[in-house]
Amino acid sequence: MIYYVYSVALTPTYGSSFRGVEDVAKWIKRQGYRSILKPKFLFRNVLNWKLFSLIKILNFESDEKVFNPNTIILQNLNTVSNSIQTNFREKGSKFIGYLFSASSTEAFDDQLQQVKSKYPDATHHCYGWRINPNNIEEFAQDDGEPSGTAGLPILNKLKSYEVVNCGCVVVRYYGGTKLGKSGLIEAYGRSAELCLQQAPLATLIRTQNFKVQYPYSAQSEIDRLKNKFDLKELNAEYLEEVTVTLACRTSQSEQFEHNMQKLEHNGINTELIGPSFVTMSR
């Protein structure tokens, strides 16, 4: 079968590029996908990417895992490293903003309940959240305010700052004067932005994660590779042998995997877990 995909290249701001069909095919296969949907929409409206020529990928297997280009995240993403609280008043109404890390809906709900418990008598608890950098999910809640005037402005600020795995709750105490729809949109958006302006943001780096198992006698080889590649140890288990999960920058992952394969004769076994995002130093 013949599948079509757009070849793309990063702008100079972001560094390296796909150089042709082989690089694109290799990248898609490394994500675990076997087929492509709606190629004409690939990378549409994604900032900092340029659309080049339509190219062919030949002999691409299909029918196992479907690749939806609309779910790919190509721009840099950020996350919140510390919780932030801000407040201001607008025509008598008090707005209290909370921005915090949340890697799942359960984690967000826990934080939301804490805010509600702290301000049980507030008029509204409106919020927005974004989670899962590999396939972003997002949600907005107006909590009794006119539709689209509270949760959506909060969510739009999270999107404009390109943050994920976080949520923002804005508490409102009504002050007796109606703000109107435009006033509400401005106030809730301002509350979220005040939090984002003060928040220390960490960049999320796209990685390939590996499970590595090795004897204690091979520790020096592992240490050498840690110095050679930009790796982050996610967890480690020390039993009869050492088992570690390592995150490697995607740009270095093929070379890292190749180096690990050369060490199999030393009893070092490597398993590719798959793509992810982690906070890593630039």
Side-chain angles (χ1 to χ4, degrees):
M1 299 181 70
I2 297 176
Y3 289 84
Y4 294 87
V5 65
Y6 285 109
S7 176
V8 298
L10 284 168
T11 61
T13 303
Y14 288 88
S16 63
S17 65
F18 291 123
R19 294 177 178 83
V21 59
E22 291 183 0
D23 283 359
V24 176
K26 189 180 297 183
W27 181 85
I28 293 175
K29 287 181 180 180
R30 284 184 65 80
Q31 311 311 305
Y33 296 105
R34 297 295 185 93
S35 62
I36 305 168
L37 287 179
K38 300 179 181 177
K40 65 180 180 178
F41 297 122
L42 190 60
F43 309 128
R44 182 182 62 179
N45 297 329
V46 178
L47 295 177
N48 302 315
W49 285 75
K50 295 179 180 178
L51 200 59
F52 282 71
S53 59
L54 188 67
I55 59 177
K56 297 180 181 179
I57 295 180
L58 303 177
N59 303 319
F60 206 53
E61 295 180 18
S62 63
D63 300 325
E64 287 200 11
K65 188 176 180 182
V66 174
F67 169 68
N68 184 348
N70 297 312
T71 66
I72 283 193
I73 303 154
L74 299 177
Q75 69 267 36
N76 279 354
L77 292 172
N78 304 302
T79 192
V80 177
S81 53
N82 290 318
S83 298
I84 294 294
Q85 176 186 344
T86 64
N87 64 81
F88 71 94
R89 290 185 179 273
E90 181 67 24
K91 294 184 179 179
S93 287
K94 184 176 182 179
F95 292 86
I96 307 170
Y98 283 89
L99 179 69
F100 48 82
S101 174
S103 59
S104 66
T105 56
E106 292 80 9
F108 175 83
D109 287 340
D110 287 344
Q111 292 278 1
L112 175 62
Q113 291 308 314
Q114 290 182 36
V115 174
K116 287 185 173 181
S117 296
K118 189 172 182 179
Y119 304 100
D121 57 339
T123 315
H124 304 282
H125 304 85
C126 305
Y127 57 84
W129 54 255
R130 304 181 84 213
I131 62 171
N132 188 7
N134 287 301
N135 186 9
I136 292 179
E137 302 170 46
E138 53 191 33
F139 186 75
Q141 172 59 254
D142 294 313
D143 192 34
E145 295 282 29
S147 179
T149 63
L152 188 58
I154 296 169
L155 178 60
N156 284 340
K157 290 301 180 181
L158 298 180
K159 293 167 72 172
S160 69
Y161 278 74
E162 296 181 341
V163 292
V164 70
N165 281 0
C166 66
C168 181
V169 179
V170 178
V171 177
R172 181 191 181 192
Y173 282 92
Y174 180 58
T177 301
K178 293 184 177 181
L179 302 182
K181 288 188 176 181
S182 61
L184 290 171
I185 291 170
E186 172 66 25
Y188 280 102
R190 177 186 173 191
S191 184
E193 185 157 34
L194 286 174
C195 290
L196 288 160
Q197 288 173 344
Q198 297 183 29
L201 301 180
T203 300
L204 285 171
I205 304 299
R206 186 183 291 275
T207 65
Q208 289 286 345
N209 292 356
F210 296 86
K211 179 181 178 182
V212 181
Q213 187 172 11
Y214 59 92
Y216 287 88
S217 59
Q219 186 63 55
S220 60
E221 292 285 353
I222 300 300
D223 291 340
R224 180 180 63 81
L225 289 171
K226 286 182 177 180
N227 290 328
K228 181 177 180 180
F229 295 95
D230 194 357
L231 304 174
K232 183 172 184 177
E233 187 175 293
L234 303 180
N235 57 61
E237 187 176 34
Y238 298 90
L239 299 174
E240 292 184 5
E241 291 191 319
V242 182
T243 303
V244 295
T245 301
L246 300 174
C248 178
R249 285 178 182 266
T250 299
S251 59
Q252 300 178 1
S253 60
E254 287 190 25
Q255 187 180 358
F256 172 74
E257 189 172 17
H258 180 67
N259 275 252
M260 295 304 294
Q261 289 171 352
K262 290 181 178 180
L263 298 175
E264 287 182 354
H265 67 280
N266 291 337
I268 301 175
N269 297 310
T270 305
E271 175 187 348
L272 175 62
I273 298 174
S276 186
F277 282 83
V278 298
T279 54
M280 298 177 70
S281 59
R282 286 187 175 273

